Amino acid sequence: MQIREGPRRAPPSAAGALRSPMSAMMLAMFATMASFYVAGRLWQDAQNRVYLIKELDRRTGQGQSAISVDDTLKVVACRQQGKRLTSLEMELAAAKHEGFMGKYTYETNGTNSRKRPLIVIGIMTSFGRKNYRDAVRKSWLPTGSMLQKLEEEKGIVVRFVVGRSVNRGDTSDREVDDENRSTKDFMILDDHTESEEESPKKTKSFFANAAELFDAEFYAKVNDDIYINVDTLSAMLKTHWDKPRVYIGCMKSGEVFSESTHKWYEPDWWKFGDGKSYFRHASGEMFVISRAIAQFISINRSVLRTYAHDDVSVGSWLIGLAVKHVNEAKLCCSSWPSGALCSAL
């Protein structure tokens, strides 16, 4: 019996030898293409990241990062010190020709120069207190040309501070307007409605508006029943020129009253902790802040919270800032200590 043989197959080793060069070539091609693909994606991703960074910088203000409130105050203080140094250099040059004279700071604006006030004093008053204002004018606040002389020679600007009536244009408003036309010593806060309960907001409005109207070294709040020795005040303030952020007053603390019938009731008493004690702050009869702080209040007036009393409110705005608290006994008006510059009328 004959057995047919099929076609002979090449040995497996021989077939593998024929396919191996083709496989190696294909693998090499795939590897090369994969390398180009990965490199292209990496390059594209890098370009996308660069574009996104540039776009983010453009939309957020050219890459400028936000700075803290404390850093903002430092920037303001540095700019003020630079302006003040330039002013002092010009004053020194003028003094060489005119001889030494004790002047307060000059500020230069282009070709025009003007004296920068040493301090702006806001006397908090209200409707129906003309007798108190007249007592102030007769005791320590000059009137007419002498008021102008006080501003020009000593750099002390004084204004009675009052808001508007809840019924705009009524008798109360007209009486204040008439008095101001005669004395020209008012700062009328059109953005504030006069009310005893709103005195903290009134104080905030005064500092904000005063900082915009007068670029002074210092700003003071004082009640309309306080007597001030302006010469002693001026001498005291000049010792604090080296402190760009300073808060000067008769510093105190005390109990937070939670009883609604109490004279000094604080509706937000629970925010002051279980001890119910106020943080250190200047007495509201009279206190002084520097220009940088007044500008801070002006810029942030819409977000600064007020409490029941203006002295506590101002202290709360400054407690978290890099501000120098100065406990000045001369501003303890009620106790009238030796060398005091203020007292109750």
Side-chain angles (χ1 to χ4, degrees):
M1 183 174 175
Q2 246 180 355
I3 299 176
R4 294 183 179 179
E5 296 182 3
R8 293 189 177 184
R9 298 180 180 177
S13 60
L18 291 174
R19 289 196 299 266
S20 61
M22 182 65 69
S23 300
M25 184 178 297
M26 294 295 292
L27 287 173
M29 289 178 62
F30 282 125
T32 302
M33 292 174 64
S35 299
F36 280 116
Y37 175 77
V38 172
R41 286 302 302 269
L42 291 175
W43 179 84
Q44 186 178 11
D45 289 345
Q47 291 297 104
N48 288 340
R49 284 195 294 272
V50 171
Y51 170 78
L52 291 174
I53 291 172
K54 289 182 177 179
E55 185 67 13
L56 180 62
D57 288 346
R58 182 182 68 81
R59 297 190 179 188
T60 57
Q62 288 73 45
Q64 297 177 356
S65 59
I67 61 177
S68 66
V69 171
D70 185 46
D71 290 337
T72 302
L73 287 174
K74 290 179 181 178
V75 171
V76 171
C78 288
R79 291 175 179 172
Q80 291 166 353
Q81 290 297 324
K83 291 168 63 178
R84 183 176 173 187
L85 179 60
T86 302
S87 299
L88 288 173
E89 290 173 347
M90 295 188 65
E91 185 176 353
L92 179 61
K96 290 180 181 179
H97 296 283
E98 302 174 5
F100 176 77
M101 294 180 64
K103 300 176 181 178
Y104 52 93
T105 311
Y106 279 88
E107 184 180 56
T108 302
N109 181 12
T111 58
N112 299 321
S113 62
R114 63 182 176 86
K115 294 179 180 179
R116 169 181 289 161
L118 171 65
I119 186 171
V120 176
I121 302 174
I123 306 174
M124 299 295 147
T125 189
S126 59
F127 303 132
R129 293 182 67 88
K130 187 177 185 299
N131 290 339
Y132 285 86
R133 295 191 289 272
D134 288 340
V136 168
R137 294 181 182 115
K138 291 176 181 178
S139 59
W140 66 270
L141 179 62
T143 58
S145 61
M146 296 303 294
L147 179 63
Q148 188 69 22
K149 187 177 181 180
L150 180 67
E151 297 180 10
E152 294 176 352
E153 294 188 357
K154 297 185 178 181
I156 299 176
V157 178
V158 186
R159 296 289 186 271
F160 288 103
V161 182
V162 67
R164 286 298 188 184
S165 171
V166 65
N167 301 311
R168 295 297 176 101
D170 65 3
T171 303
S172 298
D173 278 350
R174 291 196 298 271
E175 287 177 351
V176 167
D177 289 336
D178 291 341
E179 185 179 346
N180 187 38
R181 276 191 288 269
S182 174
T183 60
K184 295 180 175 58
D185 57 5
F186 275 85
M187 178 186 291
I188 300 175
L189 305 175
D190 289 319
D191 62 347
H192 176 76
T193 300
E194 194 65 32
S195 169
E196 185 177 353
E197 296 77 16
E198 299 296 333
S199 62
K201 293 181 180 179
K202 180 178 179 179
T203 299
K204 178 170 65 172
S205 179
F206 159 66
F207 283 127
N209 283 279
E212 294 175 356
L213 293 173
F214 304 96
D215 186 22
E217 296 287 351
F218 300 97
Y219 300 82
K221 176 262 178 180
V222 61
N223 292 339
D224 63 2
D225 57 356
I226 297 297
Y227 168 87
I228 299 176
N229 185 322
V230 293
D231 292 328
T232 305
L233 174 63
S234 177
M236 184 271 290
L237 290 176
K238 290 176 181 178
T239 65
H240 296 292
W241 265 352
D242 60 333
K243 305 177 184 71
R245 298 180 302 280
V246 65
Y247 173 39
I248 311 169
C250 182
M251 296 295 168
K252 65 174 185 176
S253 184
E255 182 181 355
V256 180
F257 295 97
S258 57
E259 299 81 16
S260 59
T261 56
H262 197 280
K263 178 181 178 181
W264 306 114
Y265 169 61
E266 174 58 68
D268 289 319
W269 57 269
W270 60 274
K271 292 184 179 179
F272 295 90
D274 296 334
K276 293 200 302 182
S277 178
Y278 284 121
F279 41 76
R280 191 70 64 182
H281 60 278
S283 173
E285 292 177 320
M286 181 178 182
F287 59 85
V288 180
I289 61 175
S290 59
R291 182 169 67 252
I293 298 176
Q295 291 176 344
F296 169 80
I297 295 173
S298 178
I299 293 170
N300 298 281
R301 71 181 84 179
S302 63
V303 296
L304 292 177
R305 196 207 185 288
T306 56
Y307 291 94
H309 313 295
D310 63 346
D311 52 357
V312 174
S313 298
V314 175
S316 72
W317 304 335
L318 308 183
I319 196 170
L321 306 180
V323 171
K324 176 68 175 178
H325 287 58
V326 176
N327 183 23
E328 180 55 76
K330 293 179 180 179
L331 293 178
C332 296
C333 308
S334 297
S335 57
W336 188 247
S338 176
L341 59 83
C342 64
S343 67
L345 290 173

